[in-house]
Amino acid sequence: MKRMLSGIKPTGQLTLGNYIGALHHFVEYQDDYEMIAFIANLHCITVYQDPKELSTNLRDAVALYLACGLDPEKATIFLQTDVKQHAELGYILACYTYLGELNRMTQFKDKTAKNEQNLTAGLFTYPCLMAADILLYDPDYVPVGDDQKQHVELTRDIAIRFNNKYSPTFKVPEPLSAKVGARIMSLTDPTRKMSKSEHSDKGCIYLLDDPAKAKKKIMGAVTDSFGEIKADKVNQPGLYNLMEIAASLNGSTPEKIAEEFAGKGYGELKRYVGDAVATTLEGIQARYRDILANNVIDEVLKQGAEKATLIAAKKLDEVTKKIGLEIR
Ligand code: ATP
Ligand code: LTN
């Protein structure tokens, strides 16, 4: 069975973008692949987090992994800091990554361009930790949203470099992102990614939003004044984004939805999308409440960390030996 690995960093509450771009695929893939899904808590602190909020978000993220349908019997689910090898290999791989490569990472460049103050070294080197997260487990595929593809490309370069310098050690993984829903946009500004770090609450739907409130956000989404429903991502990005949301949730495509709604009003389309979102959230939230009530999270994480550590420890051992870090 081929292996797949991915992670989410819950710097806030998980969003519909996380669900459509990532989580939903983890669930789809768990039957046909050996799925490893972790919570990237070390990545969260590249930007300051309130300790109480962070801790709550981590617990919620695990509960939401399960509520969205990840099954701990099939998938390995764990918290990054429970497997100490991530941080160690992250440091090692930073020694095989060039400053120029990190300087080219768009996520970091965007933050620098925004003139954000006090950017940390952790934020700069975070792609090295992400490479470690991946390479410890030799996955074949890494399912991610569009914004993360560049980091997986860098991971491939680091793996190839290390393999060439020593001997084959890491599997070179492929990024995997879906044709529909790899980049869900903000409801208030369809040129920007729907993001939990966004300032306006109206542009982003959270998986724990009240379904009626989520529907309202969809009804208030920015569209355009053409007055005609077409699947035109370039000229009608707001409308296209709404169709992409519904298409991802209902297993359709924006083009098919545009055909169905041709000649109808934007309000009707928005109601359809809003219903699809509300139904999805209701299902997830009902399971989320059950999971919290049943106190299963600690046990899931314990078992996941045990399974993950077996793989990670073996790989790190191989790496440290090859580099010559051990005294024989
Ligand atoms: P932020 O939302 O704060 O920018 P992030 O999206 O970069 O955070 P994660 O929460 O770790 O960070 O993202 C987890 C996964 O969800 C990644 O694979 C990411 O590509 C995907 N993802 C996040 N937002 C979206 C979106 N709007 N559309 C599609 N996929 C997304
Ligand atoms: N960097 C990712 C989260 C992440 C990840 C990973 C995804 C950390 N490690 C390994 C895939 C594989 C993010 O910010 N979205």
Side-chain angles (χ1 to χ4, degrees):
M1 212 185 228
K2 297 233 174 183
R3 185 177 284 171
M4 218 173 241
L5 171 139
S6 199
I8 290 186
K9 71 170 171 21
T11 36
Q13 285 197 13
L14 297 195
T15 69
L16 190 65
N18 293 139
Y19 177 71
I20 292 177
L23 251 174
H24 165 65
H25 298 297
F26 301 176
V27 176
E28 261 176 10
Y29 295 133
Q30 69 182 342
D31 288 317
D32 301 319
Y33 295 87
E34 185 191 340
M35 186 74 209
I36 301 180
F38 70 100
I39 306 284
N41 56 347
L42 282 174
H43 289 270
C44 293
I45 59 163
T46 48
V47 174
Y48 175 77
Q49 304 293 317
D50 174 78
K52 266 208 187 110
E53 265 176 41
L54 176 58
S55 176
T56 308
N57 287 335
L58 295 177
R59 179 157 293 264
D60 276 352
V62 186
L64 283 169
Y65 266 29
L66 303 176
C68 289
L70 263 185
D71 177 354
E73 298 291 323
K74 297 179 188 159
T76 304
I77 302 167
F78 66 95
L79 191 65
Q80 187 182 28
T81 41
D82 284 342
V83 181
K84 303 297 177 203
Q85 287 79 4
H86 286 244
E88 190 170 340
L89 185 64
Y91 170 76
I92 292 176
L93 294 183
C95 301
Y96 295 83
T97 308
Y98 301 119
L99 290 180
E101 290 176 311
L102 294 176
N103 271 325
R104 280 195 293 277
M105 294 294 112
T106 16
Q107 228 180 24
F108 186 77
K109 277 203 295 198
D110 286 351
K111 294 226 160 132
T112 324
K114 274 193 228 150
N115 260 333
E116 283 189 29
Q117 298 291 305
N118 303 328
L119 294 182
T120 66
L123 185 73
F124 185 61
T125 56
Y126 122 110
C128 306
L129 179 60
M130 177 158 166
D133 297 337
I134 298 172
L135 298 178
L136 274 174
Y137 300 93
D138 284 331
D140 298 278
Y141 301 107
V142 182
V144 283
D146 262 3
D147 58 322
Q148 292 299 324
K149 264 183 146 172
Q150 196 188 24
H151 294 149
V152 183
E153 298 294 344
L154 175 66
T155 300
R156 289 169 57 85
D157 292 342
I158 298 173
I160 293 170
R161 182 171 307 145
F162 193 97
N163 290 347
N164 287 340
K165 211 174 198 85
Y166 299 95
S167 59
T169 310
F170 300 120
K171 185 169 255 174
V172 182
E174 304 264 352
L176 202 69
S177 65
K179 285 206 180 71
V180 177
R183 193 173 176 81
I184 299 300
M185 309 310 279
S186 159
L187 301 174
T188 47
D189 178 359
T191 61
R192 291 175 46 190
K193 192 185 85 157
M194 180 184 281
S195 158
K196 42 188 146 65
S197 14
E198 201 179 341
H199 303 298
S200 147
D201 179 58
K202 288 193 183 128
C204 180
I205 291 178
Y206 297 96
L207 293 181
L208 294 177
D209 266 352
D210 169 30
K213 184 175 161 198
K215 209 168 158 179
K216 261 200 194 140
K217 288 185 185 175
I218 297 279
M219 295 308 291
V222 168
T223 49
D224 54 69
S225 52
F226 289 108
E228 198 183 342
I229 296 183
K230 280 204 237 154
D232 182 347
K233 193 171 185 168
V234 178
N235 297 307
Q236 297 179 277
L239 211 57
Y240 189 89
N241 187 43
L242 292 179
M243 292 191 278
E244 199 164 0
I245 291 175
S248 314
L249 300 179
N250 293 343
S252 179
T253 63
E255 288 70 23
K256 274 193 213 151
I257 296 178
E259 250 173 57
E260 276 168 45
F261 280 85
K264 296 187 179 160
Y266 286 10
E268 206 168 326
L269 175 71
K270 281 181 169 177
R271 268 192 295 282
Y272 168 76
V273 180
D275 283 340
V277 170
T279 309
T280 303
L281 296 191
E282 275 158 17
I284 292 175
Q285 290 172 14
R287 291 188 293 274
Y288 166 83
R289 285 189 292 269
D290 271 356
I291 287 156
L292 288 188
N294 291 331
N295 256 332
V296 291
I297 292 178
D298 291 343
E299 189 51 33
V300 167
L301 290 181
K302 183 168 165 266
Q303 280 183 18
E306 277 167 14
K307 273 205 262 175
T309 303
L310 284 180
I311 307 174
K314 203 164 152 222
K315 181 61 76 182
L316 184 64
D317 202 41
E318 188 186 341
V319 169
T320 48
K321 279 204 179 82
K322 284 196 182 173
I323 297 176
L325 286 173
E326 290 178 1
I327 297 177
R328 288 170 214 219

